[in-house]
Amino acid sequence: MKNPFLVVVYTFLVIVVLPVILTIGIYKDDIFQKEIVQTKTTNSINIKVYNTKTDNVEELDIEKYLYNVVASEMPATFDEEALKAQAIAARSYVFHKMENGGDKIPQHKGAVVCTDHRHCQEYLDTNTLEKLHNKKWMSESWPKIKKAVDDTRGMVMTFEEKTIQPLYHSTSGGKTENSEEVFSASLPYLRSVESPYEEESPKFRANMKISKNDFINKFKGVGIVLSDNLNKDIQVMSRSEGGSVKEIRVGNKVVKGSKVRSILGLNSSDFDIKVDGNFLNIMTKGYGHGVGMSQWGANGMAHKGYKYDEILKHYFKGVSIENKY
């Protein structure tokens, strides 16, 4: 290497180029390692769940937890787009609890959520689901539910960059309710909307027939006195935008429609009472509180060709669907 030009080139390669290549290699490797760590930390989230049946707090992968929630909350016979909508609603519910002190609620015993459907979401473990259904259901329907959860992995609904409180119910009876007309808070994404595709729901309409004496005694048990002239003693005072009874006069007291629903064990607060001789016919529409997403309405929309995001954005006004991981 006696050629002066070659000596200069060699020196340049050794002193300048080689260190740069090595540095770039180290930098790229460092980025790669960071990507691996990021994937490991965001690809799976564990949550604490208080199992009310066993009285134990369990740590579960959120997606595996959601398999069982969706399987418990919605029939596997429903359209896959309705199941996806349910999966996102259920995941949003968990994140809303995580972001708003769910672990501080006494009933949760330090967990984010519990398995009591009256307080949180319905959750049945896999063994219970198999006993409730059968092995054929586990081999055919369970994979369908898992796919709906997997296909929406990490997705939640947000409003103004915060995870929403995604209420849902079985059947609205044709129109959902504004949140403040059922619960205390007025939430901008929980507005009354039409729910036109629910006719297949077995609870779309129902009728209860009860004797006068039984009716009077049920109200007597909560301190409300009625006369024999029930036509005069019962009067609906007001209804919500969604059609439910807001206030009703029973005897000499004006009470909420939700209280009458509780006293009589009705499917919903959307009811009409008619006196027929010694009996009363009580006709109800829908099943549940009526706020947020109607599950049967979601299935009806899916049958009409709507996708999961269209279903959710119909029932939850102004929301976005974002990935948490």
Side-chain angles (χ1 to χ4, degrees), residues 207-220 222 224 226 230 234 248 250 255-269 271-274 280-284:
N207 183 64
M208 173 190 284
K209 190 171 185 178
I210 184 172
S211 70
K212 268 188 172 183
N213 287 337
D214 286 345
F215 185 90
I216 290 169
N217 288 333
K218 281 181 181 291
F219 283 93
K220 185 178 180 181
V222 294
I224 298 175
L226 292 163
L230 294 181
I234 301 169
I248 180 171
V250 184
V255 297
K256 290 183 177 181
S258 57
K259 183 171 183 178
V260 173
R261 178 194 175 192
S262 177
I263 292 169
L264 297 175
L266 303 177
N267 286 348
S268 75
S269 297
F271 59 82
D272 287 294
I273 300 176
K274 291 186 178 179
L280 291 93
N281 288 315
I282 306 168
M283 292 147 286
T284 58

Side-chain angles (χ1 to χ4, degrees), residues 15 70 84 87 107-108 118 121-122 126 142 163 207 239 246 271 274 279 284:
I15 296 174
V70 175
K84 288 178 186 178
Q107 295 95 319
H108 292 178
R118 295 166 298 183
Q121 303 184 110
E122 182 73 271
T126 309
W142 180 248
T163 310
N207 183 64
R239 289 185 180 270
K246 287 179 68 175
F271 59 82
K274 291 186 178 179
F279 291 89
T284 58

Side-chain angles (χ1 to χ4, degrees), residues 64-72 123-126 129 142:
K64 292 180 180 178
Y65 160 79
L66 290 171
Y67 293 159
N68 294 74
V69 170
V70 175
S72 306
Y123 173 93
L124 301 175
D125 62 41
T126 309
L129 286 169
W142 180 248

Side-chain angles (χ1 to χ4, degrees), residues 49-50 57 97 102-103 105-114 119-120:
V49 178
Y50 172 55
V57 173
K97 289 293 184 185
D103 57 344
I105 298 172
Q107 295 95 319
H108 292 178
K109 298 192 175 182
V112 173
V113 291
C114 70
H119 192 258
C120 286

